[in-house]
Amino acid sequence: MRYKLTIAYDGSNFHGWQEQCTPDGNPPRTVQQVVRTTCQQVLGQPVELVGASRTDTGVHALGQVAHLDAETSIPIERMAMAITSRLPDDVEVRHVEPAPPDFDAISGAKRKQYRYRIWADAHRPLQLRHCVYHCWVPIDVRKMNDAAMRLVGEHDFAGFANAGHGRTTTVRTIYDCHIEDVPHSPEVHIVVQGNGFLYNMVRIIAGTLIEVARGHKHSKYIDELLAEPDRQQSGPTMPPQGLVLEWIRY
Amino acid sequence: MRYKLTIAYDGSNFHGWQEQCTPDGNPPRTVQQVVRTTCQQVLGQPVELVGASRTDTGVHALGQVAHLDAETSIPIERMAMAITSRLPDDVEVRHVEPAPPDFDAISGAKRKQYRYRIWADAHRPLQLRHCVYHCWVPIDVRKMNDAAMRLVGEHDFAGFANAGHGRTTTVRTIYDCHIEDVPHSPEVHIVVQGNGFLYNMVRIIAGTLIEVARGHKHSKYIDELLAEPDRQQSGPTMPPQGLVLEWIRY
């Protein structure tokens, strides 16, 4: 039986999603390793856990999706709770549902949404410092939104990817990209929805939009980067802690 | 010259406010020690830093107040920034203002407001786990608010204090106590404003109100605890991470 799991985590104390083997036999703490071994304990059998997105160290998730195969008598409605109750407090299996045998968390993903949280204030984020990027200089949200909307559509995003993505094509479709000004808070969010993302793509989009928001670049700069992709010209890769994988649709 | 400082911090990685001397010469990391030594570096002289509230390990502050005496040529409007820029990222001096020579952060405090944050949801708080108490069983906010309002007034709060408060009188005045249901969030906050607080008083108030909110006690229970103070009868001391010292008025 194949199961689809929806997993949420605070990435602060994880070395990303992907399980790693190290020669010294002391692998770093990763989400995949922690959730997989807990699933094995609960299900009483070895399992392979295939996750949709390989989030980096420090990146968070509300709706990571993974699949696994297992035979168990645990009722489906109790399975998420049974696994979560044995997980450490920075990760949670939010839902478990039965999936068709050919369901694949990676190749079946049709649409993903990420959010990049910016703390736009002279004061420090303090309690939120592991969940936001602190931008203490003024930013122009209207200009930033104008720039964000220019990313929507099917484009070659090679200018928004770091080396190491290992993908044959760098063409992706962005369905939505806009800025949310959070009420009663100094937070400004970049929301990006697309059919797939290249290595560090959302963090580079964030860095590029912040260049515009700070007045260093005009929003037409986005059009140029899409027309003539050049990683040397786009903005910096923003730090991981502001990034959240919100959901994945199949 | 005497200065009044307003200080904010994430208490997660501090052993509370108060500086401690240990025989081994390795004192724990406290807010008072970190801020005091940074003030000394910036001001170029030894200083004593007197804080209004001795917050416990894990308790947070948005508006802790402290005073210090120093002679300096640093302009007053630059002083907060000069100190904060040398502080670690979990603490911030938000304001520095000149104070009369007889200003005393402890004895001059007229009114303080605390907030206790409850995450009332079956799902885990994850990123917010160091800032909230996770209550996964249902709570009745209306009953909780009815119980909270009964605390308002001048009462003997001995039933809401743990041993070690070392105060001669346990009579305090609560000006306001109410529950805030945070919109678009599973958070429920207990807001308490008073002229002073006994040892662990807000955390015991929170524990007692949660007893009512969970249906274990009727809200009249509060009246009984105020009429006949008995620490054995009041609720548990809730964990520190949900507590924030919001502000202090003089």
Side-chain angles (χ1 to χ4, degrees):
Chain A
M1 181 76 188
R2 181 153 289 195
Y3 293 97
K4 177 188 173 197
L5 285 72
T6 307
I7 303 166
Y9 44 90
D10 175 342
S12 308
N13 298 326
F14 287 108
H15 283 259
W17 166 266
Q18 182 145 5
E19 195 159 358
Q20 291 167 44
C21 295
T22 50
D24 64 2
N26 284 315
R29 183 176 187 260
T30 63
V31 184
Q32 189 180 30
Q33 187 266 331
V34 166
V35 176
R36 185 183 59 76
T37 54
T38 302
C39 286
Q40 289 187 165
Q41 285 168 19
V42 172
L43 299 166
Q45 60 205 282
V47 298
E48 203 188 335
L49 185 72
V50 180
S53 286
R54 291 188 292 171
T55 56
D56 282 328
T57 299
V59 173
H60 315 288
L62 282 173
Q64 170 74 286
V65 173
H67 75 253
L68 63 79
D69 294 317
E71 298 310 319
T72 174
S73 58
I74 301 173
I76 186 80
E77 69 276 10
R78 294 212 196 139
M79 219 188 289
M81 181 67 90
I83 301 165
T84 294
S85 64
R86 294 184 188 219
L87 285 171
D89 66 357
D90 52 353
V91 52
E92 174 177 63
V93 173
R94 307 200 104 183
H95 305 286
V96 178
E97 53 199 298
D102 63 346
F103 173 79
D104 187 289
I106 299 174
S107 64
K110 293 268 187 299
R111 201 178 267 239
K112 295 180 185 180
Q113 181 164 301
Y114 283 92
R115 184 175 294 261
Y116 195 90
R117 294 171 66 180
I118 299 163
W119 180 265
D121 200 78
H123 287 299
R124 294 181 168 189
L126 298 172
Q127 290 189 323
L128 295 178
R129 68 193 186 282
H130 302 301
C131 321
V132 296
Y133 164 71
H134 185 195
C135 182
W136 56 88
V137 296
I139 57 173
D140 185 324
V141 173
R142 203 183 48 77
K143 279 188 187 163
M144 198 178 187
N145 198 50
D146 180 52
M149 290 187 303
R150 290 167 189 256
L151 290 162
V152 175
E154 188 184 74
H155 303 288
D156 181 351
F157 285 95
F160 295 88
N162 284 333
H165 55 79
R167 307 293 169 92
T168 47
T169 169
T170 49
V171 173
R172 294 290 182 278
T173 300
I174 296 295
Y175 301 111
D176 181 25
C177 187
H178 70 274
I179 311 301
E180 288 182 12
D181 213 343
V182 182
H184 315 297
S185 159
E187 280 188 55
V188 171
H189 295 176
I190 301 168
V191 180
V192 198
Q193 200 184 109
N195 65 351
F197 293 89
L198 303 168
Y199 186 52
N200 287 344
M201 180 167 150
V202 182
R203 289 161 60 187
I204 298 167
I205 285 176
T208 307
L209 294 179
I210 289 171
E211 289 286 282
V212 175
R214 293 180 61 174
H216 296 172
K217 299 280 186 182
H218 191 274
S219 58
K220 283 180 191 157
Y221 161 57
I222 304 294
D223 302 334
E224 292 159 19
L225 287 167
L226 293 172
E228 287 185 56
D230 180 356
R231 178 65 190 102
Q232 301 304 312
Q233 298 300 317
S234 53
T237 307
M238 299 306 287
Q241 78 272 10
L243 188 59
V244 190
L245 167 58
E246 291 210 301
W247 50 254
I248 305 172
R249 284 194 203 142
Y250 289 86
Chain B
M1 183 75 186
R2 180 154 288 194
Y3 293 97
K4 177 189 174 197
L5 284 73
T6 306
I7 303 165
Y9 45 90
D10 175 342
S12 308
N13 299 326
F14 286 108
H15 284 258
W17 166 266
Q18 182 145 4
E19 195 159 359
Q20 292 165 44
C21 295
T22 51
D24 64 1
N26 283 315
R29 184 177 187 260
T30 63
V31 184
Q32 189 181 28
Q33 188 266 331
V34 166
V35 176
R36 185 184 60 75
T37 53
T38 303
C39 286
Q40 288 186 166
Q41 284 168 19
V42 172
L43 299 165
Q45 60 206 281
V47 298
E48 203 189 335
L49 186 72
V50 180
S53 286
R54 291 188 291 171
T55 57
D56 282 329
T57 299
V59 172
H60 316 289
L62 282 172
Q64 170 73 286
V65 173
H67 74 254
L68 63 78
D69 294 317
E71 299 308 320
T72 174
S73 58
I74 301 173
I76 187 80
E77 69 276 10
R78 295 216 194 134
M79 219 188 290
M81 180 67 91
I83 300 165
T84 294
S85 65
R86 295 186 187 214
L87 285 171
D89 66 358
D90 52 355
V91 52
E92 173 177 64
V93 172
R94 305 199 105 183
H95 305 286
V96 178
E97 53 198 298
D102 63 346
F103 174 80
D104 187 290
I106 299 174
S107 63
K110 294 268 187 298
R111 202 177 267 239
K112 295 180 184 180
Q113 181 163 301
Y114 284 91
R115 184 175 293 260
Y116 196 89
R117 296 171 66 180
I118 299 162
W119 179 266
D121 200 79
H123 287 299
R124 294 182 166 187
L126 298 173
Q127 289 189 324
L128 294 178
R129 68 193 186 284
H130 301 301
C131 320
V132 296
Y133 163 71
H134 184 196
C135 183
W136 54 87
V137 295
I139 57 173
D140 185 324
V141 173
R142 203 183 49 77
K143 279 188 188 162
M144 198 178 188
N145 198 50
D146 179 52
M149 289 189 304
R150 290 169 189 254
L151 291 163
V152 175
E154 189 185 72
H155 303 289
D156 181 352
F157 285 96
F160 295 88
N162 285 332
H165 55 79
R167 305 296 168 89
T168 47
T169 170
T170 49
V171 174
R172 294 290 183 277
T173 300
I174 295 296
Y175 300 112
D176 181 25
C177 186
H178 70 273
I179 311 301
E180 288 182 12
D181 213 344
V182 182
H184 315 297
S185 159
E187 280 189 56
V188 171
H189 294 175
I190 301 168
V191 181
V192 199
Q193 201 185 106
N195 65 350
F197 293 88
L198 303 168
Y199 186 53
N200 286 343
M201 181 167 149
V202 182
R203 288 161 62 186
I204 298 167
I205 286 176
T208 307
L209 295 179
I210 289 171
E211 288 286 284
V212 175
R214 292 181 61 175
H216 295 172
K217 298 281 185 181
H218 190 275
S219 59
K220 283 179 192 157
Y221 163 56
I222 304 294
D223 303 334
E224 292 159 19
L225 288 167
L226 293 172
E228 286 186 56
D230 181 356
R231 179 66 191 99
Q232 301 304 313
Q233 298 301 316
S234 53
T237 306
M238 300 305 289
Q241 79 272 10
L243 188 60
V244 190
L245 166 60
E246 290 210 302
W247 50 254
I248 304 173
R249 281 193 204 143
Y250 289 86

